[in-house]
C-alpha cells in the first residue's frame, strides 16, 4: 500500500502531465492556424504521449491500492511569436517536469518506496529524451533563421543512412 504522502505527490504529478498534454494541444492549435501541419502533427503526438504519462501514474496508483484524485488544469498559453518561441517554451516546460520527477524520486527514496523508485526510473530516462527532442528542434529552427537550410537538408539525408 502506498503512503498518503507519496499518493498526494503522484496525484500532483498526474496533474502536471495532464497540464503538459493541454499545453501541447494548445500549441497544436496554434500551428494548425499557421497551416504548419507537420508541427501540429508533432504537437498532437506529444499531447497523446503526455496523456500516456499521466495514465502510467494513474494505473500505478490503482495497482498500489491508492486513490487517484484529479485537480483543476489551468488554461494554457495560446499564442506565440513564432515556432522558435513555442519550442523554447517546450524545453523550459520539460526542464520543469524533469525537476518535478527528480523531486518525486527523492521523496520515494526518503519514504523507502522502492516500487515508486522503479517506476520513476522510466520517467527519468524519458525526460532525457524529452529535453533532447526540444533542444534539437530549437537548434534546427535557429539554423533556418541563419539561412543554413542546405545544411539541414543534408542532415536529413545523412539521417536516413541504413547501415
Ligand atoms: Fe511527461 O514528459 Fe513531457 O511533460
Amino acid at each position: 500500500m502506498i503512503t498518503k504522502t507519496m499518493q498526494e505527490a503522484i496525484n500532483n504529478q498526474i496533474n502536471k502531465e495532464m497540464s503538459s498534454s493541454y499545453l501541447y494541444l494548445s500549441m497544436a492549435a496554434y500551428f494548425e492556424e499557421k497551416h504548419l501541419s507537420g508541427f501540429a502533427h508533432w504537437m498532437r503526438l506529444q499531447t497523446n504521449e503526455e496523456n500516456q504519462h499521466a495514465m502510467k501514474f494513474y494505473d500505478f496508483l490503482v495497482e498500489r491500492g491508492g486513490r487517484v484524485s484529479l485537480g483543476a488544469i489551468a488554461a494554457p498559453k495560446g499564442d506565440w511569436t513564432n515556432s522558435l518561441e513555442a519550442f523554447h517554451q517546450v524545453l523550459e516546460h520539460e526542464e520543469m517536469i524533469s525537476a518535478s520527477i527528480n523531486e518525486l524520486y527523492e521523496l520515494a527514496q526518503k519514504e523507502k518506496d522502492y516500487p515508486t523508485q522503479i517506476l520513476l526510473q522510466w520517467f527519468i530516462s524519458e525526460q532525457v529524451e524529452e529535453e533532447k527532442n526540444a533542444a534539437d528542434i530549437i537548434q534546427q529552427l535557429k539554423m533556418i533563421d541563419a539561412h543554413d537550410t542546405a545544411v539541414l537538408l543534408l542532415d536529413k539525408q545523412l539521417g536516413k543512412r541504413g547501415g
Side-chain angles (χ1 to χ4, degrees):
M1 187 95 181
I2 198 149
T3 65
K4 289 283 169 221
T5 315
M6 208 66 238
Q7 172 178 294
E8 197 188 323
I10 292 178
N11 272 317
N12 284 337
Q13 191 62 36
I14 291 176
N15 185 272
K16 286 180 188 164
E17 300 292 345
M18 292 305 289
S19 301
S20 304
S21 176
Y22 214 31
L23 171 66
Y24 297 140
L25 189 60
S26 182
M27 288 185 176
Y30 163 78
F31 286 121
E32 315 282 4
E33 196 208 1
K34 305 271 170 230
H35 299 274
L36 288 169
S37 56
F39 282 82
H41 170 74
W42 194 95
M43 287 298 171
R44 280 173 182 238
L45 289 184
Q46 195 62 22
T47 294
N48 293 344
E49 208 176 286
E50 297 301 351
N51 256 298
Q52 287 163 12
H53 291 172
M55 289 312 292
K56 247 184 201 287
F57 282 117
Y58 178 112
D59 288 337
F60 180 76
L61 260 190
V62 172
E63 254 178 71
R64 303 278 313 280
R67 171 74 166 92
V68 172
S69 91
L70 302 176
I73 303 173
K77 187 173 162 165
D79 204 16
W80 292 269
T81 316
N82 50 36
S83 16
L84 184 59
E85 196 204 25
F87 274 94
H88 269 298
Q89 188 177 353
V90 174
L91 180 57
E92 224 171 78
H93 184 80
E94 289 306 326
E95 285 169 349
M96 182 273 286
I97 295 292
S98 300
S100 173
I101 295 283
N102 293 345
E103 268 174 38
L104 261 184
Y105 192 80
E106 280 164 30
L107 180 66
Q109 281 180 318
K110 208 172 118 212
E111 298 268 305
K112 295 196 188 326
D113 184 337
Y114 302 108
T116 301
Q117 287 175 41
I118 291 170
L119 173 79
L120 288 170
Q121 277 162 15
W122 183 89
F123 277 96
I124 290 168
S125 306
E126 176 69 8
Q127 283 310 120
V128 172
E129 199 190 308
E130 294 276 65
E131 287 185 31
K132 183 185 184 302
N133 290 343
D136 283 352
I137 296 168
I138 287 172
Q139 282 316 313
Q140 289 170 10
L141 284 168
K142 282 183 178 167
M143 287 171 87
I144 293 169
D145 267 359
H147 304 293
D148 251 343
T149 34
V151 178
L152 264 184
L153 288 173
L154 179 60
D155 186 62
K156 291 266 169 289
Q157 197 179 320
L158 295 180
K160 286 184 194 147
R161 178 177 164 173

